[in-house]
Amino acid sequence: MDFLKSAVASAISKGPAFGYSFGDRVDIDDSIWTLYNGTKREDGSKCSIFSFDASANKSRLPLARNALRKLRTLRHPGVVKVLDTVETESYIYIATERLSPLSWHVKRKSLTEETIKWGLHNVAKTLKFVNTDATSVHGCIRPASIFFSESGEWKLGGFDALSSMKEDDPVLPTYGSLIPDSIRYMPPEVSKGGWDVIRQNPTHAIDAYNFGSLIFEVFNGSYLGSDQLGQMKNIPPSMHQTYKRLLNPNPKSRMSVSQFLDQGMRLGGFFQTPLIQVTEDIENLGLKADDERDELLGKLDEVADDFPADFFKMKVLPELLKSVEFGGGGAKVFSTVMQIGAKLNDDEYDTQITPVVVRLFANPDRAIRVCLLDNLPNMIDHIPQKIVNDKIFPQMVTGFTDLAPVVREQTVKAVLTVVPKLSDRIVNGELLRYLAKTANDEQPGIRTNTTICLGKIARNLGANNRAKVLTAAFARSLRDPFLHARNAALLALAATSDLFSEEDCATKLLPVMCPSLVDKEKIIRDQATKTVDIYLARIKKHAQSMPDTVLPPPSLTAAGGASAPRMGTPANDTSWAGWAISSFTNKLTAASGEIQSGTNGASTQQQRPSSVPPPASAKADKPTLSSTKSGMSLKNHSASIPSIVSPDPSTAFEDAEEDFDDGWGGFEDGETKTEVEPDPWASPAPTPSSSRGFDDQGEPDFAGWLAAQSQTKKTTKSPLPKGLTKSGPTKSTRPIVGGRASTTGSAGTKKVVVQPKKEAPKPAAKKEDEDEGWGDAW
């Protein structure tokens, strides 16, 4: 074998350029040709090479040259396709499509009845063309002259003796006896009168007889001679009558192959099989009506097992793809394409299906888009990641914002299919932005499916943004008015519980899940209970690994000189009513002075300056002052005293260093009446019933006193009574009485009651919040 290959290579190197390389030799029956598997040097595509050695078979050189000439000029779908030829004085090479001999399958009896009928139908059509249209005689119809193409079709070859009776010197009458194994297949009239009798008989006579012997051989697996032709046991009964007419001993009464084909194609004929009908109709699939197309696809499913797998790849698949892309085949045709595509390897898929799929995703037809999304799980394993990222996904995202809800919903579902082949940049960027929009879609089903989608792709999200995105998305879904959207959020939270930290579980997720425990729908309450239990179990397990306290031990506190906090109740009091640790102990003990009683009118009156009017006799409820101090000046007598705002009880526990003077307000010359918002918790404003300056409890009634002064001194200004003149600014710490701080303001200084302004919290680190703004859209 190696010697033969080297000899062939040597011969090629000395002759004309031949752009094909020889491979393994293929064994065939007796023939003047040697068949090799070959490849095209330019692109590595497969081919077959027929080689004829002129020096070793000089007597048959006319047959080889005749075959070369006929193959160059004769073109028909049922004829072997020629790619290139080379002829020299020493050899002839014919490069054709990749072929395999029919005799291999015949001898192994590996052909089904339907496949044999389909093959005989193809050969009959080709012979009809040769005998009728080309007015020629093949003269060598047998399994050795018929080949399987890559598509599984039967192709006619063996044109060594192909002759036209119109030629001046036809090859067959002269060189017919040189055909290998010609005696076994020789018609009876040729056996008796030689090859010259073909001039006296119809053109189709020899080929019809040989076609009859071919029928017998392919159904029985072998053929030894004309004596066996009468045994029709393995031949289908529907073909018996026409089979006998093909073998009629009288050539002038013999049925032609064309007539045999017509008989078989009649209604109810032996060629009326689903396989043959599909073959005839598949080429016109794009021109058929919808009902005809559906009928054809139904037949295609029926004959899927009878068809050669290669035929689907090479013939049926291209026609189906054309129908989907240009002929309006729709979802039914595309589903058949996917069934065929499942049998293709990656190279075949990339060559035939992937380019069409990429073009179809750019098609604006919604029906095509939905069909593609439905079948995407069947395609995704065969499509390279680069094509998914660069070509398919950019077209696919238009479905997220499509006006048709069905397109948006199918696009959301398809995310689960494509996300394994998307880059991290796309998943954590563009994809999440589109899912944020569908999570707020007007259709509740789309919102629900988005939540389910996020739960399933959670592990594909980036670890930095995953918790924030999922928390925001699921929290929004838990507030969704649609029942199944809330349920989907709870199920997703249960499935992704391990993706959150224990702190997030306790502070962010449990608070948003707990309202679902009392949801109006039982299905939500039940699922919420299960989900909350999962998170509680995680938190409890984590809490067991935490220390009991982070405070220093009491011994270290005592050693440091700090006083231990006091308990309001005994240490053994563990009931809920026991007082907590007094965190204000140090602050209260730092207060100085004596607590003064405000209920004893006599003692209060003794401390009252002489310049202050006596208390009023009317007993009306008035706000009381816990203490007063001489030296407080009231310069503007015409100004009325604003109502006193009760201070916030919580301010009584402020640090001792705070300025308590701001609790009350003073008044300056020329100051107008100030509107102060009344305290909702203060007592009703007193109604003065007397000109006395004291209330019923002995406290000075500043409002009444000032009102009396303004009536008597409207135009003149008298000096202030002794004891109310201006004094220097003083500041002292007063004890806390009745939950209110007693303060003394300096004269001439305006004191405004202002609630303590809470300091704005310092902005937290923005590193996490500034990461692409994740979660804002949710």
Side-chain angles (χ1 to χ4, degrees):
M1 180 65 69
D2 294 337
F3 172 76
L4 182 60
K5 287 183 180 180
S6 62
V8 171
S10 177
I12 293 174
S13 63
K14 296 178 182 179
F18 189 60
Y20 299 86
S21 301
F22 285 79
D24 299 333
R25 178 177 175 176
V26 179
D27 294 330
I28 57 177
D29 292 339
D30 291 339
S31 175
I32 67 174
W33 299 94
T34 303
L35 181 61
Y36 295 91
N37 290 328
T39 55
K40 189 176 182 179
R41 295 177 184 176
E42 183 179 356
D43 55 7
S45 58
K46 297 179 180 180
C47 68
S48 291
I49 302 175
F50 290 89
S51 174
F52 178 79
D53 188 356
S55 59
N57 296 287
K58 289 183 179 181
S59 60
R60 294 176 174 175
L61 182 58
L63 294 176
R65 288 177 175 172
N66 182 69
L68 177 63
R69 184 172 65 256
K70 296 299 183 181
L71 284 172
R72 282 175 175 174
T73 58
L74 196 63
R75 290 289 186 266
H76 189 270
V79 174
V80 170
K81 182 180 180 180
V82 177
L83 304 176
D84 196 5
T85 62
V86 171
E87 181 181 2
T88 65
E89 295 180 356
S90 57
Y91 62 85
I92 297 176
Y93 299 142
I94 303 175
T96 67
E97 59 183 316
R98 177 59 67 88
L99 303 170
S100 61
L102 174 63
S103 56
W104 285 5
H105 304 277
V106 172
K107 291 178 180 179
R108 292 198 300 263
K109 296 183 179 180
S110 59
L111 302 174
T112 64
E113 180 178 329
E114 291 298 316
T115 304
I116 291 174
K117 288 182 178 180
W118 174 57
L120 291 173
H121 177 264
N122 291 340
V123 174
K125 289 195 301 181
T126 307
L127 277 177
K128 178 182 178 180
F129 166 76
V130 171
N131 295 153
T132 304
D133 299 336
T135 62
S136 301
V137 180
H138 188 281
C140 192
I141 300 299
R142 63 195 66 178
S145 299
I146 301 173
F147 301 89
F148 265 93
S149 68
E150 283 189 294
S151 62
E153 296 175 282
W154 292 18
K155 295 296 185 74
L156 184 60
F159 288 172
D160 306 344
L162 182 65
S163 302
S164 175
M165 294 300 102
K166 296 180 180 180
E167 295 177 356
D168 297 334
D169 187 17
V171 173
L172 185 57
T174 306
Y175 300 98
S177 58
L178 296 178
I179 298 175
D181 207 11
S182 62
I183 298 176
R184 182 156 59 110
Y185 295 96
M186 192 177 291
E189 65 273 14
V190 176
S191 299
K192 295 178 181 179
W195 289 98
D196 287 334
V197 299
I198 63 174
R199 299 176 187 270
Q200 305 170 8
N201 297 325
T203 304
H204 66 266
I206 294 180
D207 291 340
Y209 186 89
N210 287 341
F211 188 77
S213 63
L214 175 66
I215 294 175
F216 177 88
E217 188 168 358
V218 295
F219 277 112
N220 290 275
S222 62
Y223 173 69
L224 300 178
S226 58
D227 296 339
Q228 294 180 305
L229 296 176
Q231 303 173 7
M232 298 181 291
K233 179 180 178 180
N234 295 325
I235 298 175
S238 59
M239 299 177 67
H240 285 178
Q241 190 66 29
T242 52
Y243 168 73
K244 291 178 181 180
R245 295 179 62 184
L246 286 173
L247 299 175
N248 194 321
N250 185 358
K252 295 182 179 180
S253 303
R254 191 175 295 159
M255 176 184 281
S256 67
V257 176
S258 177
Q259 294 172 335
F260 177 84
L261 181 62
D262 293 338
Q263 288 287 334
M265 293 302 296
R266 287 181 179 178
L267 185 62
F270 48 82
F271 280 157
Q272 287 291 318
T273 65
L275 196 59
I276 295 174
Q277 290 178 357
V278 167
T279 307
E280 293 291 309
D281 296 339
I282 195 67
E283 296 180 359
N284 301 320
L285 180 62
L287 302 177
K288 293 184 177 297
D290 292 342
D291 53 346
E292 294 177 343
R293 185 187 300 118
D294 295 342
E295 182 181 358
L296 176 59
L297 294 176
K299 293 179 181 178
L300 191 61
D301 293 337
E302 295 176 5
V303 300
D305 296 333
D306 296 327
F307 258 122
D310 293 333
F311 180 78
F312 273 99
K313 299 177 185 178
M314 305 297 294
K315 291 294 181 180
V316 177
L317 182 58
E319 297 298 330
L320 293 177
L321 290 173
K322 290 179 184 177
S323 177
V324 173
E325 190 171 5
F326 307 111
K332 291 185 178 180
V333 176
F334 196 80
S335 62
T336 306
V337 169
M338 291 296 98
Q339 293 176 6
I340 301 174
K343 302 178 182 179
L344 303 178
N345 55 43
D346 291 340
D347 293 338
E348 294 171 340
Y349 206 98
D350 291 342
T351 303
Q352 298 189 50
I353 296 183
T354 300
V356 177
V357 170
V358 172
R359 292 195 298 268
L360 288 177
F361 265 104
N363 193 320
D365 189 350
R366 288 191 176 97
I368 293 294
R369 174 60 62 85
V370 173
C371 178
L372 288 170
L373 296 175
D374 287 340
N375 290 277
L376 196 57
N378 300 325
M379 300 184 289
I380 196 65
D381 293 336
H382 299 279
I383 303 178
Q385 182 177 3
K386 181 175 178 58
I387 293 180
V388 175
N389 279 278
D390 299 343
K391 296 182 179 180
I392 292 182
F393 186 76
Q395 299 293 339
M396 176 180 164
V397 295
T398 59
F400 286 111
T401 56
D402 195 273
L403 295 178
V406 63
V407 177
R408 300 199 301 272
E409 184 172 8
Q410 291 300 323
T411 305
V412 171
K413 292 180 180 179
V415 169
L416 301 179
T417 304
V418 300
V419 74
K421 291 202 171 184
L422 295 178
S423 64
D424 293 339
R425 179 184 61 83
I426 292 178
V427 171
N428 295 284
E430 189 175 4
L431 177 61
L432 282 183
R433 285 194 292 270
Y434 281 111
L435 290 179
K437 294 179 181 179
T438 57
N440 294 277
D441 196 274
E442 60 182 6
Q443 297 293 326
I446 296 177
R447 299 197 302 269
T448 304
N449 286 331
T450 302
T451 303
I452 296 172
C453 177
L454 282 170
K456 291 187 176 182
I457 69 171
R459 286 167 176 78
N460 297 94
L461 303 180
N464 295 333
N465 302 317
R466 178 168 53 201
K468 183 175 181 180
V469 170
L470 296 181
T471 300
F474 295 156
R476 199 224 71 81
S477 296
L478 286 174
R479 300 189 301 269
D480 198 296
F482 188 52
L483 164 67
H484 299 288
R486 302 197 300 276
N487 191 45
L490 292 170
L491 291 172
L493 283 167
T496 59
S497 61
D498 59 313
L499 302 180
F500 303 99
S501 65
E502 286 79 3
E503 183 177 356
D504 286 346
C505 292
T507 60
K508 297 180 180 179
L509 297 175
L510 277 179
V512 299
M513 286 190 288
C514 286
S516 300
L517 295 171
V518 290
D519 195 275
K520 295 180 180 180
E521 301 293 336
K522 185 177 185 300
I523 183 176
I524 302 299
R525 297 194 299 272
D526 294 344
Q527 184 58 47
T529 302
K530 297 177 183 178
T531 306
V532 168
D533 288 344
I534 293 174
Y535 279 78
L536 285 177
R538 255 196 91 193
I539 295 172
K540 289 179 180 178
K541 183 178 180 180
H542 175 70
Q544 292 176 357
S545 63
M546 297 176 66
D548 293 343
T549 181
V550 295
L551 299 176
S555 58
L556 296 179
T557 305
S563 60
R566 297 185 305 159
M567 295 294 295
T569 55
N572 58 356
D573 188 357
T574 59
S575 65
W576 69 271
W579 292 106
I581 295 176
S582 178
S583 60
F584 311 104
T585 301
N586 294 335
K587 299 178 183 179
L588 293 177
T589 56
S592 61
E594 295 180 356
I595 299 178
Q596 301 179 3
S597 174
T599 59
N600 192 347
S603 60
T604 305
Q605 188 173 2
Q606 292 176 0
Q607 297 178 4
R608 185 176 296 111
S610 59
S611 60
V612 179
S617 60
K619 294 186 177 181
D621 292 336
K622 297 179 179 293
T624 61
L625 295 177
S626 59
S627 63
T628 60
K629 181 179 180 180
S630 60
M632 178 183 295
S633 63
L634 300 173
K635 290 183 63 177
N636 191 354
H637 301 281
S638 62
S640 62
I641 297 297
S643 59
I644 300 174
V645 180
S646 300
D648 188 356
S650 63
T651 59
F653 296 96
E654 295 294 337
D655 292 339
E657 291 78 5
E658 291 184 1
D659 187 1
F660 288 88
D661 292 342
D662 294 337
W664 298 92
F667 303 90
E668 295 182 357
D669 293 338
E671 197 173 338
T672 58
K673 182 178 180 180
T674 304
E675 293 292 338
V676 181
E677 182 180 357
D679 185 4
W681 300 101
S683 300
T687 302
S689 58
S690 173
S691 61
R692 296 183 61 186
F694 294 87
D695 59 11
D696 56 345
Q697 295 182 357
E699 293 291 338
D701 183 4
F702 288 106
W705 180 78
L706 286 177
Q709 292 293 327
S710 62
Q711 292 294 331
T712 57
K713 299 179 179 180
K714 291 183 178 180
T715 56
T716 60
K717 183 177 181 182
S718 61
L720 293 175
K722 186 179 180 180
L724 293 180
T725 59
K726 284 187 178 181
S727 60
T730 60
K731 186 175 183 180
S732 62
T733 302
R734 290 296 182 183
I736 299 171
V737 180
R740 179 177 299 172
S742 175
T743 59
T744 303
S746 61
T749 303
K750 180 180 179 181
K751 298 299 181 178
V752 182
V753 178
V754 181
Q755 295 293 338
K757 183 178 181 181
K758 296 183 180 180
E759 184 180 357
K762 296 182 179 180
K766 297 184 179 180
K767 181 177 180 181
E768 180 181 1
D769 294 338
E770 293 178 355
D771 290 344
E772 299 291 334
W774 295 121
D776 297 341
W778 301 97

